[in-house]
Amino acid sequence: QSALTQPASVSGSPGQSITISCTGTSSDVGSLNVVSWYQQHPGKAPKLMIYEVTKRPSGVSNRFSGSKSGNTASLTISGLQAEDEGDYYCCSYATTYTYVFGTGTKVTVL
Amino acid sequence: QVQLVQSGAEVKKPGASVKVSCKASGYTFTNYFLHWVRQAPGQGLEYMGIIRPGDGSTSYTQKFQGRITMTRDTSTSTVYMDLSSLSSEDTAVYFCAREQERDFWFDPWGQGTLVTVSS
């Protein structure tokens, strides 16, 4: 199972919006609406930010939103803040009890 | 609150085995699945497999088949991940993460356990 493709890095100024793409195949991202997104700060465990493509867990800022079109999912961060810096990973259920993660995107706030 | 607390860092020699634990608290242990994910230094997340504490059944990704074993102890609400025939490529931080059945997402995650394989 190949990793989902994400851009290596995305940057933006405070207050701007950025979008991170996550491209897979019809066997993973395109098959079910079960893409999730995780934020990871250096030396920390990943944190769930988006699940089922568009849903936000309780406590996650509404500046984070998700979408999907075909085999590509996207995470948008609006009103970019310094605390949003970190690594972001998408994840999709792939086959029976197998998951695949994205390659990861480093977000930098300029 | 829901918490997953993992065992401490390990240093192993090539060819050895390592057993990492993940102790759950704050919820009914047998009602949720637990997954293992690893992250090599400076690299991305890699999915390893799942254990269902209710019945102890497991599923592993093909890459680790034959050298990974996941077990659970319901009396202590702890799951274990045993990885054998270690090589330097297994040097990584290993995370456990919880999933409610058929939710398809992981929340929360353990704090991670660094396993270093070095001669």
Side-chain angles (χ1 to χ4, degrees):
Chain A
Q1 193 74 39
S2 299
L4 308 175
T5 301
Q6 298 180 231
S9 63
V10 174
S11 62
S13 299
Q16 286 187 330
S17 293
I18 61 169
T19 297
I20 303 168
S21 61
C22 168
T23 301
T25 69
S26 58
S27 297
D28 39 61
V29 174
S31 65
L32 296 170
N33 289 328
V34 291
V35 175
S36 53
W37 289 89
Y38 301 88
Q39 175 193 64
Q40 187 180 34
H41 290 132
K44 300 296 186 181
K47 174 188 174 184
L48 177 69
M49 304 301 285
I50 295 287
Y51 65 97
E52 290 182 356
V53 179
T54 62
K55 299 177 181 178
R56 268 181 294 106
S58 173
V60 171
S61 171
N62 58 9
R63 298 184 298 103
F64 291 85
S65 62
S67 62
K68 192 185 86 167
S69 177
N71 297 335
T72 298
S74 298
L75 174 71
T76 297
I77 309 174
S78 58
L80 199 61
Q81 298 180 2
E83 67 203 50
D84 300 332
E85 275 204 349
D87 296 324
Y88 290 79
Y89 294 91
C90 59
C91 180
S92 177
Y93 183 71
T95 60
T96 306
Y97 302 118
T98 296
Y99 290 79
V100 60
F101 285 94
T103 49
T105 299
K106 181 177 182 62
V107 169
T108 302
V109 180
L110 302 171
Chain B
Q1 75 280 22
V2 176
Q3 228 179 345
L4 300 175
V5 178
Q6 299 182 221
S7 49
E10 303 262 13
V11 179
K12 296 293 182 181
K13 293 193 181 303
S17 296
V18 68
K19 193 168 188 174
V20 180
S21 68
C22 170
K23 182 174 176 60
S25 62
Y27 70 95
T28 302
F29 178 63
T30 52
N31 286 358
Y32 293 79
F33 299 163
L34 281 161
H35 302 259
W36 288 91
V37 176
R38 76 177 186 179
Q39 185 172 37
Q43 302 301 307
L45 301 172
E46 180 177 30
Y47 183 76
M48 301 179 73
I50 178 178
I51 181 166
R52 304 169 193 83
D55 62 5
S57 62
T58 57
S59 299
Y60 310 132
T61 59
Q62 190 169 6
K63 176 176 179 177
F64 299 102
Q65 288 275 4
R67 67 184 191 104
I68 191 171
T69 304
M70 297 179 189
T71 56
R72 96 296 194 205
D73 182 343
T74 55
S75 68
T76 60
S77 298
T78 303
V79 298
Y80 300 90
M81 188 283 297
D82 196 317
L83 191 63
S84 62
S85 302
L86 293 170
S87 72
S88 59
E89 295 183 350
D90 295 313
T91 293
V93 176
Y94 290 77
F95 295 99
C96 59
R98 188 188 77 159
E99 178 210 355
Q100 184 164 358
E101 184 175 358
R102 309 308 286 177
D103 270 359
F104 304 108
W105 68 86
F106 311 128
D107 182 55
W109 295 57
Q111 84 276 18
T113 297
L114 175 61
V115 175
T116 303
V117 184
S118 173
S119 56

